Amino acid sequence: MSPRRIGRRFATLVAGAATVLSLGLANPAPAAAEVVNATVCYNTSQAGPYAGIADQAASIWNNYTNNLTMSKCGSNLMIYYTTGGGSYAVRRSLGNGYVVIDTAQAQQYAPLRIMTHEIGHILGLPDNYNGQCQLLMSGGSAGTGCTNPYPASAEAAQVDRNFGGFGAAGAQVFRDSWPALATIG
Ligand SMILES: [Zn+2]
C-alpha cells in the first residue's frame, strides 16, 4: 500500500466520525410538561367552624410552593365537616375533590395539621405513616402531641412537581387514620 493511499483511507474515517459526532450533538426536543391548572379554587361555605382553619391551610400551601395557588375562586375543592367516621379526603384528580374533617378527631389532634394533611392528598400526596412529626403526611401516626401543620421540604417539592406537570395523582380516596386515644377507666 502506498503512503498516499493510506492517507486517503484515514481522511475517509475522520469524515465518517465527524458525521456521527454531529448527529450525537443534535438537540433533543425538550420533554413537554403536561399542562396543569395551577390554581386550586377551594370553597369553605360548608366548612362550618373549620372555614378559618381551611384558609390558614391554604396560606401554608401557598407559602410552601411555587407552582400552586390556592384561592377562594370556585369549588374545585370543597371543605366539609362531620362528627364521627374519621377525617378523609376524596381526590377526583389533581387539585379536585373534597375534604371532610371529623370534629371528634379535631378535638384530639391539631385541626390545622389535619386540614393541611387532608388538603395534601388533594394536592397529590400519599400517606406516610412513619410517626415523624416533621412530616405532614405522617398524619395521626405522629400522635396527638404533634401539632406541626407545615409540609416538609420534600413534601412541598412533590406538590410543586405535581403542579409543574411532572407528577401523577389520579382519583383516590384517603380514609385517614387519626387513632382515637384509649379511654381510661
Ligand atoms: Zn392521609
Side-chain angles (χ1 to χ4, degrees):
M1 198 177 278
S2 73
R4 196 167 57 186
R5 194 170 167 78
I6 290 171
R8 195 179 298 140
R9 277 182 64 85
F10 179 70
T12 304
L13 286 171
V14 169
T19 302
V20 170
L21 192 64
S22 67
L23 285 173
L25 289 175
N27 290 330
E34 181 189 350
V35 176
V36 172
N37 182 358
T39 299
V40 172
C41 295
Y42 72 101
N43 183 320
T44 60
S45 64
Q46 308 297 312
Y50 301 101
I53 300 284
D55 290 340
Q56 291 179 52
S59 291
I60 288 172
W61 279 115
N62 286 339
N63 288 339
Y64 276 73
T65 56
N66 297 310
N67 295 338
L68 165 71
T69 302
M70 293 192 67
S71 172
K72 279 178 161 170
C73 49
S75 53
N76 299 101
L77 169 56
M78 289 295 300
I79 310 293
Y80 300 108
Y81 72 103
T82 187
T83 298
S87 304
Y88 60 101
V90 176
R91 187 178 68 216
R92 296 195 180 96
S93 63
L94 182 63
N96 293 285
Y98 63 94
V99 159
V100 180
I101 303 298
D102 181 342
T103 62
Q105 289 178 342
Q107 287 174 358
Q108 296 193 321
Y109 292 85
L112 184 55
R113 177 171 166 84
I114 297 176
M115 185 71 76
T116 46
H117 173 104
E118 301 300 342
I119 290 176
H121 287 312
I122 305 299
L123 305 179
L125 296 180
D127 282 311
N128 185 3
Y129 290 142
N130 65 4
Q132 294 180 20
C133 186
Q134 69 268 31
L135 296 184
L136 186 56
M137 301 317 288
S138 63
S141 73
T144 53
C146 175
T147 61
N148 171 34
Y150 304 110
S153 57
E155 294 173 321
Q158 181 62 58
V159 170
D160 263 335
R161 281 195 297 276
N162 293 344
F163 282 88
F166 295 99
Q172 196 168 340
V173 177
F174 300 87
R175 291 227 163 253
D176 265 308
S177 171
W178 300 86
L181 295 179
T183 304
I184 298 173

